[in-house]
Amino acid sequence: MGRAFRVLTIGFVILAIIFSFSYIYTTQRVEDMKNKKYEEIVKEMHNDFELLVHEKSEAVLLVCLTLSQEKSITSLLETKKTQNIDLSQLTKILQENTSLHNVWFQLIDDTGHSIYRSWTQKSGDDLTQIRPDIAAMVELPKVISTISVGKYDLSFKSIVPIYNDYGRFIGMIETIAKFRSLVSKLKKKGYETLIVVDKHYKNQLSDSLSNFFVDGYYIVNPQDNRDILNILKEETMEFFLDIAGYEVDEKDGYLFSVVKMDSFDKKPMAYFILSKPLDEIDMREITETQRNIVRTLLLIGFFLLLILYLIYSINYKKFIQKQNERLEYAVEEKTEELQKQTEQMQYLAHHDSLTKLPNRHLFLDRLKQAVKHAKRNHHSLAVLFLDLDRFKEVNDTYGHDVGDELLNLIAQRLLTCVRDEDTVGRIGGDEFTILLQNTTQVNAIKVVDKIFQEMRKPFLISDIHINATFSIGISMYRQDGDTPDVLLRNADTAMYKAKDNGKNSYEFYSEEMTELVRKRLELDSDIRNGLLNGEFEAYYQPKIDATTMRIVGMEALIRWNHPTQGLLYPSEFIPFAEEVGLIVDIDRYMLKHCVNQLVEWSAAGFHTGKLSINISTKKLESPTFRSELYRIIEISGVDTKLLELEILESQIMRDPERSIDILRSIRNLGISISIDDFGTGYSSLSYLKKLPVSKLKIDKSFVENIPDDEDDIAIVRTIIALAEHLGLETIAEGVEKESQIEFLVQEGCHNIQGYYYSKALNKDACEAFMKKYM
């Protein structure tokens, strides 16, 4: 009796638990399914909306692009005679044959003034003062397709720049369309759409079409959505605009979602309130699923009770024993799994994930053990620090996947160059280390020679042949250190010495190298402090027209007023700055300083001619260079016609196609481009024709021996003739003798720069020089 009572009690308890769980689970599952259904509908609404917006934007843009190719439009923009143009017929054709039932057109000249509107007779007003998109188009012409708010309504807009036969920007055409057809199409799909414009546009909508506002928000289509407008008035506008994802209005029977759209300047512009009646959403599948879940759970509960009774009645002890065996097996299996994970984590903690070589931690541990062994047995050992030369160029040119594969192949070759008891490790991106135990300097050199021999073979990766070299530093125990950290640091120092000596070489450590590293670190710190403290100064070397003896320009040359070493010339710090990347900061400093000085001189009435500023390749290729240049020009208000950027010929020819793109964008600002040290960079004449340059500077190495050296005479004559045929100016630098000037003027190069007229001068001395030659 007692046993049966216990079974019955347990059964009732389990049944109660099952029913409770069934209710909770069913309720939660049904709610989840409803939410999923709503999410699917909202996603479908958003997709349909975005697709229709995209289709209409493309249609408006296509019309605009087609009109931009019309010769009559081009002719009108060039002559600005709008009396004979009438695009109303085109509007009628679009209304009859497309979904573009409300389309207007506007022609705007290259200064941003409207010269024709299809909806009004008004023209001639300056749109750049009231429309940022038109101002941006005038500054940098490009195709614009957007949605924006005007004085009448929210509308689709497309703007396409127009060029004449000579490639000059002469104006633009704008096409405007309303949202009515989009709302109608959404309605056919079963969605109601209410279009709302943000309240900060209220003043701008002075001539709004519907003139319908709620809480300061403009309603674009109030005539289509009376029911939703009534709901909106009962709630608040913020209630709808703050909807994240979707909102179910059980009371009024609607599913709401909002698509938000920002303006050209990234501020809130419009809100599209999408809705669908709840009674139009098919919930039959969810209802049927709910019934099936209840049936299934009840059936499961019944069988669980039956199984429990049978297990308890037949063999309770056997059941418990079996459960224990399963638990023991699961624990054992989990223990083995955890052990394997621990071993894997141990391996990953001590090995490089890419090459599977020992990482810095494991390498230093093995080096520590090797030092102890060498000390105990009075042996010697060597530490090699290897750094791949120009590995960044491989990544930049071919991508990181090719770079990673190259590192893997190099690791395999390095392993073939050492003994089994030696260690090859990877401790950084392109840095490898090798520990040679019980060895001598001679044997270390043999290993290095073997590495260089292996590296001479090109690597084949994805049908690309890549050549790679190492700069290697070597430190020996114990003459170069008796601790792992010191040995590794000294090998690193020796490696930098190998790089300074031209790369693809090796160096043994010496104490002088430590002093060299210390000086490099000091120079790095001094340059950074100098930029912060304004220690760098621009000196200006005048450029003179030898036929008129007037200043035609100046070149800005950097000097460093070092707090302890006095005045330093570029050769004493620029090469190091280029190596460590500080040249980008120096170029930014000089560009800003020189532009401000040019503005100051122009305001004071000085005739400077074009001011040339040298720009390095790293600065030119910097992703922020063009935006920084635009900002400096905008803030300073400098006349860009007085600016000239000098780029080394060798720098341009590293990647001529990319250089052409960058230089064209600079030239479009009105800034002149000059090729510095022309004749030393092996320019391709085909690229020289494409480069947007205006001047070639003849390198001083060709000037210094004229008119006595026949080879230099021939080179200079060729450069001058080439420039003349390409319509480019020439200027000779490094001119120090009157005979050089006579030869250059006779050959057609009148612009002269050099010590014959003046060395580079500081600001005050330069102003005095300009007064003399004004």
Side-chain angles (χ1 to χ4, degrees):
M1 186 71 180
R3 179 180 178 185
F5 180 78
R6 286 197 301 272
V7 171
L8 190 61
T9 302
I10 293 173
F12 277 117
V13 171
I14 292 176
L15 195 59
I17 292 173
I18 290 173
F19 281 130
S20 300
F21 172 79
S22 300
Y23 176 79
I24 295 171
Y25 175 78
T26 303
T27 303
Q28 185 62 46
R29 181 67 188 277
V30 169
E31 192 64 27
D32 290 344
M33 292 178 70
K34 283 184 178 180
N35 290 336
K36 186 177 180 181
K37 186 72 174 180
Y38 293 147
E39 288 173 359
E40 290 174 353
I41 292 172
V42 168
K43 184 178 180 181
E44 184 179 351
M45 285 196 298
H46 282 230
N47 288 342
D48 288 340
F49 172 78
E50 291 170 1
L51 179 62
L52 289 173
V53 169
H54 180 70
E55 288 177 351
K56 184 143 187 177
S57 294
E58 284 191 338
V60 174
L61 177 58
L62 181 60
V63 171
C64 198
L65 286 170
T66 303
L67 287 176
S68 70
Q69 301 301 313
E70 283 293 323
K71 293 295 184 180
S72 59
I73 300 295
T74 306
S75 175
L76 187 146
L77 282 171
E78 287 186 315
T79 62
K80 299 185 179 179
K81 295 179 179 179
T82 62
Q83 299 89 335
N84 298 325
I85 186 168
D86 183 7
L87 298 180
S88 58
Q89 186 62 29
L90 175 61
T91 302
K92 184 177 179 182
I93 293 172
L94 291 173
Q95 288 175 343
E96 294 174 351
N97 297 283
T98 72
S99 62
L100 299 175
H101 295 162
N102 297 279
V103 185
W104 299 272
F105 307 97
Q106 179 171 210
L107 295 179
I108 305 166
D109 67 14
D110 58 346
T111 65
H113 289 76
S114 174
I115 63 173
Y116 172 78
R117 292 184 174 97
S118 65
W119 64 91
T120 180
Q121 296 298 319
K122 182 180 177 182
S123 63
D125 47 326
D126 186 358
L127 299 182
T128 62
Q129 302 300 316
I130 58 173
R131 290 185 54 183
D133 54 344
I134 299 299
M137 173 71 87
V138 171
E139 288 295 323
L140 187 61
K142 62 180 180 180
V143 175
I144 296 176
S145 181
T146 186
I147 296 172
S148 64
V149 179
K151 64 188 294 186
Y152 301 106
D153 211 339
L154 178 73
S155 57
F156 291 89
K157 291 182 181 178
S158 290
I159 309 174
V160 176
I162 299 177
Y163 301 84
N164 62 15
D165 293 338
Y166 302 100
R168 186 177 71 81
F169 172 65
I170 60 173
M172 64 201 84
I173 182 167
E174 178 181 33
T175 304
I176 304 168
K178 291 182 63 177
F179 272 82
R180 288 297 298 275
S181 62
L182 185 142
V183 173
S184 299
K185 290 180 180 179
L186 286 172
K187 193 174 185 67
K188 291 179 181 179
K189 292 179 178 289
Y191 312 134
E192 298 291 341
T193 308
L194 188 67
I195 305 175
V196 180
V197 177
D198 195 81
K199 58 186 177 183
H200 77 265
Y201 286 96
K202 183 174 182 180
N203 293 333
Q204 181 177 326
L205 289 160
S206 57
D207 297 320
S208 60
L209 297 179
S210 73
N211 197 28
F212 194 100
F213 291 83
V214 176
D215 297 337
Y217 291 86
Y218 173 62
I219 309 300
V220 176
N221 57 331
Q223 67 281 359
D224 300 325
N225 299 276
R226 295 298 178 184
D227 292 340
I228 299 177
L229 279 175
N230 291 332
I231 298 171
L232 188 148
K233 290 176 181 178
E234 291 177 5
E235 300 288 347
T236 62
M237 182 63 75
E238 280 70 18
F239 169 79
F240 283 92
L241 302 188
D242 291 338
I243 292 176
Y246 64 88
E247 183 71 30
V248 179
D249 184 354
E250 299 281 0
K251 175 186 172 184
D252 298 298
Y254 278 94
L255 172 66
F256 291 104
S257 182
V258 176
V259 177
K260 300 180 180 179
M261 189 174 293
D262 292 338
S263 64
F264 183 80
D265 54 1
K266 306 302 181 184
K267 294 180 180 179
M269 178 181 68
Y271 310 88
F272 298 83
I273 303 175
L274 308 176
S275 63
K276 186 176 181 68
L278 293 179
D279 56 7
E280 295 181 12
I281 299 175
D282 187 1
M283 292 292 185
R284 287 176 296 176
E285 182 181 353
I286 296 174
T287 304
E288 185 62 29
T289 301
Q290 181 179 8
R291 292 172 182 167
N292 290 336
I293 291 173
V294 171
R295 294 190 192 105
T296 303
L297 289 174
L298 289 174
L299 190 60
I300 290 172
F302 172 76
F303 278 107
L304 282 176
L305 284 173
L306 182 60
I307 291 170
L308 177 65
Y309 178 78
L310 290 174
I311 291 173
Y312 183 83
S313 301
I314 297 171
N315 199 335
Y316 178 75
K317 290 184 179 180
K318 187 176 180 180
F319 174 76
I320 296 299
Q321 182 181 357
K322 196 171 184 179
Q323 290 298 102
N324 286 338
E325 289 175 356
R326 289 178 179 175
L327 181 61
E328 289 175 3
Y329 176 77
V331 170
E332 183 179 345
E333 189 179 46
K334 199 66 178 177
T335 302
E336 291 179 0
E337 183 181 339
L338 289 172
Q339 187 174 353
K340 289 180 181 178
Q341 290 179 354
T342 302
E343 291 173 356
Q344 180 68 15
M345 291 175 65
Q346 281 286 100
Y347 181 85
L348 293 175
H350 294 87
H351 290 80
D352 172 46
S353 60
L354 176 64
T355 62
K356 305 301 184 288
L357 294 175
N359 60 16
R360 177 183 286 270
H361 180 77
L362 181 56
F363 183 84
L364 285 173
D365 182 69
R366 291 187 181 178
L367 180 55
K368 181 179 179 181
Q369 300 303 321
V371 168
K372 289 181 180 179
H373 185 270
K375 183 176 182 181
R376 184 167 56 250
N377 296 284
H378 305 288
H379 289 164
S380 180
L381 61 85
V383 176
L384 280 59
F385 198 110
L386 302 84
D387 186 89
L388 267 177
D389 300 323
R390 292 178 288 274
F391 179 65
K392 183 179 182 298
E393 296 178 10
V394 175
N395 275 336
D396 293 344
T397 304
Y398 304 112
H400 288 276
D401 289 342
V402 173
D404 288 347
E405 182 62 22
L406 176 62
L407 293 173
N408 263 320
L409 295 176
I410 288 174
Q412 295 171 20
R413 289 194 188 180
L414 290 178
L415 289 172
T416 66
C417 299
V418 299
R419 303 165 297 180
D420 291 340
E421 62 266 29
D422 299 326
T423 298
V424 178
R426 179 177 177 233
I427 64 171
D430 56 357
E431 296 174 339
F432 294 83
T433 51
I434 297 178
L435 166 61
L436 302 177
Q437 302 200 56
N438 191 19
T439 191
T440 63
Q441 284 189 343
V442 174
N443 288 332
I445 293 174
K446 290 180 180 179
V447 172
V448 170
D449 288 339
K450 191 174 182 181
I451 292 172
F452 283 151
Q453 184 177 353
E454 285 294 318
M455 295 298 287
R456 290 190 191 101
K457 305 171 187 175
F459 295 87
L460 180 61
I461 304 173
S462 301
D463 297 327
I464 303 170
H465 289 277
I466 300 176
N467 293 292
T469 60
F470 271 125
S471 295
I472 303 176
I474 309 170
S475 64
M476 301 295 300
Y477 174 84
R478 60 176 49 222
Q479 67 192 55
D480 299 327
D482 56 5
T483 66
D485 290 337
V486 172
L487 286 168
L488 191 62
R489 183 174 68 246
N490 289 343
D492 185 17
T493 300
M495 180 273 295
Y496 275 106
K497 178 63 176 176
K499 278 196 176 293
D500 289 341
N501 289 340
K503 302 181 177 63
N504 193 23
S505 61
Y506 70 89
E507 285 287 341
F508 280 92
Y509 172 77
S510 66
E511 292 184 2
E512 290 78 8
M513 292 181 185
T514 300
E515 178 62 21
L516 177 63
V517 171
R518 184 188 64 79
K519 289 182 178 179
R520 287 168 61 91
L521 291 174
E522 285 183 358
L523 182 56
D524 185 285
S525 177
D526 286 352
I527 291 176
R528 295 179 190 275
N529 290 331
L531 289 170
L532 290 175
N533 299 329
E535 297 170 5
F536 293 95
E537 181 181 359
Y539 274 50
Y540 305 91
Q541 187 170 33
K543 302 174 183 179
I544 304 297
D545 184 337
T547 61
T548 64
M549 295 305 293
R550 294 181 63 84
I551 296 175
V552 293
M554 288 184 287
E555 180 179 3
L557 302 169
I558 192 169
R559 299 291 186 268
W560 184 5
N561 294 308
H562 195 281
T564 59
Q565 300 179 39
L567 188 66
L568 299 181
Y569 287 82
S571 59
E572 299 177 76
F573 59 89
I574 289 296
F576 174 78
E578 290 177 336
E579 178 185 340
V580 300
L582 285 172
I583 190 65
V584 175
D585 299 311
I586 291 176
D587 282 350
R588 184 189 304 114
Y589 179 95
M590 281 292 289
L591 185 61
K592 184 176 181 181
H593 177 82
C594 293
V595 166
N596 289 336
Q597 183 61 67
L598 179 59
V599 171
E600 180 183 325
W601 276 340
S602 296
F606 285 105
H607 176 72
T608 61
K610 289 185 183 292
L611 178 60
S612 301
I613 304 172
N614 294 283
I615 298 295
S616 66
T617 302
K618 287 186 177 180
K619 185 62 180 177
L620 191 68
E621 296 177 350
S622 168
T624 62
F625 171 62
R626 280 180 273 193
S627 61
E628 289 176 0
L629 181 60
Y630 298 156
R631 189 161 55 252
I632 289 172
I633 292 172
E634 182 180 1
I635 293 174
S636 66
V638 68
D639 183 357
T640 55
K641 294 178 181 178
L642 297 177
L643 270 181
E644 182 176 78
L645 298 187
E646 287 197 10
I647 318 293
L648 287 173
E649 180 188 14
S650 57
Q651 295 174 343
I652 294 176
M653 296 313 298
R654 290 181 186 175
D655 189 351
E657 291 292 347
R658 185 178 181 188
S659 297
I660 290 171
D661 178 59
I662 296 172
L663 296 179
R664 277 179 179 166
S665 65
I666 296 173
R667 183 63 183 268
N668 288 339
L669 296 174
I671 300 173
S672 301
I673 309 294
S674 173
I675 298 183
D676 197 7
D677 295 345
F678 186 77
T680 63
Y682 309 105
S683 287
S684 165
L685 293 180
S686 63
Y687 280 118
L688 187 59
K689 291 193 301 181
K690 299 178 183 178
L691 287 170
V693 300
S694 55
K695 185 181 295 181
L696 303 181
K697 177 176 277 191
I698 304 172
D699 186 62
K700 61 183 178 182
S701 62
F702 303 132
V703 174
E704 59 187 1
N705 292 322
I706 59 172
D708 301 321
D709 188 290
E710 293 297 327
D711 291 337
D712 287 343
I713 288 175
I715 291 172
V716 171
R717 280 176 174 164
T718 301
I719 293 174
I720 294 172
L722 175 64
E724 183 177 348
H725 284 296
L726 293 176
L728 304 177
E729 296 181 48
T730 55
I731 183 170
E733 65 175 347
V735 178
E736 299 181 358
K737 302 175 184 177
E738 186 174 357
S739 58
Q740 295 170 338
I741 295 177
E742 292 174 353
F743 172 80
L744 290 166
V745 171
Q746 183 179 350
E747 295 299 326
C749 177
H750 302 161
N751 298 329
I752 306 297
Q753 178 182 349
Y755 276 22
Y756 182 83
Y757 289 115
S758 174
K759 63 180 182 179
L761 306 169
N762 63 20
K763 172 181 176 293
D764 294 335
C766 187
E767 289 178 356
F769 186 91
M770 285 191 287
K771 291 177 181 178
K772 178 180 177 182
Y773 279 84
M774 285 181 68

